[in-house]
Amino acid sequence: MSDLFVIAYDDVATANQVREKLFELSKQHLVELEDAVVVERHPDGKIKLHQAVNHTAVGAAGGALWGGVIGLLFLAPLLGAAVGAAAGAAGGKFTDTGINDDFMKNLSQNLRPGAGALFVLVKKAAEDKVIPQLIPYGGELVQTSLSKADEDHLREAIEVALKTPEQ
């Protein structure tokens, strides 16, 4: 089962840096991510989601490939690729995997304008190695899907890491 973590930051740049750090830690097999989305609240109050995966582009690319292959059968590969790309893009636009977009938008209404938040869905993590690498970025833990006891343990680990000088 995956765990959800929502961390608010003073700016979107910091949230993006933390997401990039998590991707780096994922390459080192210290954390296994299911989804990581940076959410930005514009000064006019609008919420912008910065997804890690663009489903529309992925759908268009896959659709173009398959459309071109099918088009070869009917001696119209370019037409097949164009139709396949359009169909794939449409399908990708309506695909929502990972964290629910409406949930992220609703929760992000509480962000102050100009601030950002990082929504992370984690399958598993080496907590003792990941938390110390994320502490320097600051942020405020807004919500988790952990049990109350586990969330309290996480907050204590963060406090200890904040008090411990870097070596």
Side-chain angles (χ1 to χ4, degrees):
M1 184 171 133
S2 299
D3 291 312
L4 174 72
F5 298 91
V6 181
I7 306 136
Y9 296 96
D10 291 334
D11 56 65
V12 178
T14 305
N16 277 318
Q17 288 176 334
V18 174
R19 181 169 68 173
E20 290 304 316
K21 184 66 172 179
L22 283 170
F23 289 154
E24 180 185 311
L25 294 172
S26 177
K27 289 176 186 174
Q28 298 173 21
H29 302 286
L30 295 176
V31 64
E32 189 175 338
L33 300 174
E34 218 173 295
D35 199 6
V37 180
V38 172
V39 179
E40 173 181 10
R41 182 159 189 217
H42 291 282
D44 63 2
K46 290 187 179 180
I47 304 296
K48 170 90 171 132
L49 303 179
H50 300 277
Q51 303 274 1
V53 175
N54 183 343
H55 293 290
T56 303
V58 170
L65 175 69
W66 284 107
V69 170
I70 293 169
L72 280 173
L73 296 173
F74 298 104
L75 302 175
L78 293 179
L79 178 62
V83 171
K93 181 174 174 46
F94 296 109
T95 300
D96 185 19
T97 58
I99 306 168
N100 182 284
D101 291 355
D102 291 333
F103 168 75
M104 289 187 285
K105 288 177 181 176
N106 289 337
L107 189 60
S108 298
Q109 292 296 329
N110 297 325
L111 288 174
R112 68 167 177 71
L118 178 62
F119 287 71
V120 184
L121 199 55
V122 177
K123 281 187 182 179
K124 61 182 179 179
E127 185 179 309
D128 59 328
K129 294 181 181 180
V130 173
I131 292 173
Q133 294 195 46
L134 300 181
I135 292 296
Y137 297 98
E140 178 186 342
L141 187 62
V142 176
Q143 185 170 337
T144 73
S145 62
L146 299 174
S147 68
K148 178 74 173 130
D150 287 344
E151 187 172 327
D152 290 343
H153 181 263
L154 175 62
R155 288 184 192 277
E156 288 172 14
I158 291 171
E159 286 177 23
V160 168
L162 283 171
K163 293 176 185 175
T164 305
E166 290 190 33
Q167 298 171 2

